[in-house]
Coordinates of all heavy atoms in Angstrom, one line a residue:
C159 N -12.1 95.8 7.2 CA -11.0 94.9 7.4 C -10.8 94.0 6.2 O -11.7 93.5 5.7 CB -11.2 94.1 8.7 SG -9.9 92.9 9.0
N160 N -9.5 93.9 5.8 CA -9.2 93.0 4.7 C -8.6 91.7 5.1 O -8.1 90.9 4.3 CB -8.1 93.7 3.8 CG -8.7 94.9 3.1 OD1 -9.8 95.2 3.1 ND2 -7.8 95.6 2.4
K161 N -8.7 91.4 6.4 CA -7.9 90.2 6.9 C -8.6 88.9 6.7 O -8.0 87.9 6.6 CB -7.6 90.4 8.3 CG -6.4 91.4 8.6 CD -5.1 90.7 8.5 CE -4.0 91.6 8.7 NZ -3.8 92.6 7.7
H162 N -9.9 88.8 6.9 CA -10.6 87.6 6.8 C -10.1 86.5 7.7 O -9.8 85.3 7.2 CB -10.7 87.1 5.3 CG -11.5 88.0 4.5 ND1 -12.9 87.9 4.4 CD2 -11.1 89.0 3.7 CE1 -13.3 88.9 3.6 NE2 -12.2 89.5 3.1
C163 N -10.0 86.7 9.0 CA -9.8 85.7 9.9 C -11.0 84.7 9.8 O -12.1 85.2 9.6 CB -9.7 86.2 11.4 SG -8.4 87.4 11.6
F165 N -12.9 83.0 11.6 CA -14.0 83.0 12.6 C -14.8 84.3 12.6 O -15.8 84.4 13.2 CB -13.4 82.8 14.0 CG -12.3 83.8 14.4 CD1 -12.7 85.1 14.8 CD2 -11.0 83.5 14.3 CE1 -11.7 86.0 15.1 CE2 -10.0 84.4 14.6 CZ -10.3 85.7 15.0
C166 N -14.3 85.3 11.8 CA -14.8 86.7 12.1 C -15.7 87.3 11.1 O -15.5 87.2 9.9 CB -13.6 87.6 12.3 SG -14.0 89.3 12.7
I167 N -16.8 87.9 11.6 CA -17.8 88.4 10.7 C -17.6 89.8 10.2 O -18.2 90.3 9.3 CB -19.2 88.3 11.4 CG1 -20.4 88.4 10.4 CG2 -19.4 89.3 12.5 CD1 -21.7 88.0 11.0
V168 N -16.6 90.5 10.9 CA -16.4 91.9 10.7 C -16.2 92.3 9.2 O -16.8 93.2 8.7 CB -15.3 92.5 11.6 CG1 -14.9 93.9 11.2 CG2 -15.8 92.4 13.1
P169 N -15.4 91.5 8.5 CA -15.1 91.9 7.1 C -16.4 91.9 6.3 O -16.6 92.6 5.3 CB -14.2 90.9 6.5 CG -13.5 90.4 7.8 CD -14.5 90.4 8.9
Q203 N -10.7 99.0 12.6 CA -10.8 97.5 12.8 C -9.4 96.9 12.8 O -9.1 95.9 13.5 CB -11.7 96.9 11.8 CG -13.2 97.2 12.0 CD -13.7 96.6 13.3 OE1 -13.1 95.7 13.9 NE2 -14.8 97.2 13.8
T204 N -8.5 97.3 11.9 CA -7.1 97.0 12.0 C -6.4 98.3 11.9 O -5.8 98.6 10.8 CB -6.7 96.0 10.8 OG1 -7.2 96.6 9.6 CG2 -7.2 94.6 11.0
H240 N -3.6 94.9 14.6 CA -3.4 93.5 14.3 C -1.9 93.2 14.4 O -1.1 94.0 13.9 CB -3.9 93.2 12.9 CG -3.9 91.8 12.5 ND1 -2.7 91.1 12.3 CD2 -4.9 90.9 12.4 CE1 -3.0 89.8 12.1 NE2 -4.3 89.7 12.1
Q267 N -5.5 85.6 20.1 CA -6.6 84.6 19.8 C -6.3 83.2 20.2 O -7.1 82.5 20.7 CB -7.0 84.7 18.3 CG -7.2 86.0 17.7 CD -8.3 86.9 18.3 OE1 -9.0 86.5 19.2 NE2 -8.5 88.1 17.8
R279 N -4.7 83.7 11.0 CA -4.3 85.0 11.7 C -3.0 85.5 11.1 O -2.6 86.6 11.5 CB -4.1 84.7 13.2 CG -5.3 84.6 14.0 CD -6.1 85.9 14.0 NE -5.5 86.9 14.9 CZ -6.0 88.1 15.0 NH1 -7.1 88.5 14.4 NH2 -5.4 89.0 15.8
Ligands
F3S502 FE1 -11.9 90.3 12.5 FE2 -9.5 89.4 12.0 FE3 -10.3 91.6 10.9 S1 -10.5 89.4 14.0 S2 -11.8 92.5 12.3 S3 -11.1 89.6 10.5 S4 -8.3 91.2 11.7

Side-chain angles (χ1 to χ4, degrees):
C159 178
N160 291 355
K161 285 273 183 294
H162 294 280
C163 299
F165 53 81
C166 183
I167 198 170
V168 170
Q203 289 294 343
T204 48
H240 189 286
Q267 314 298 359
R279 284 296 287 180

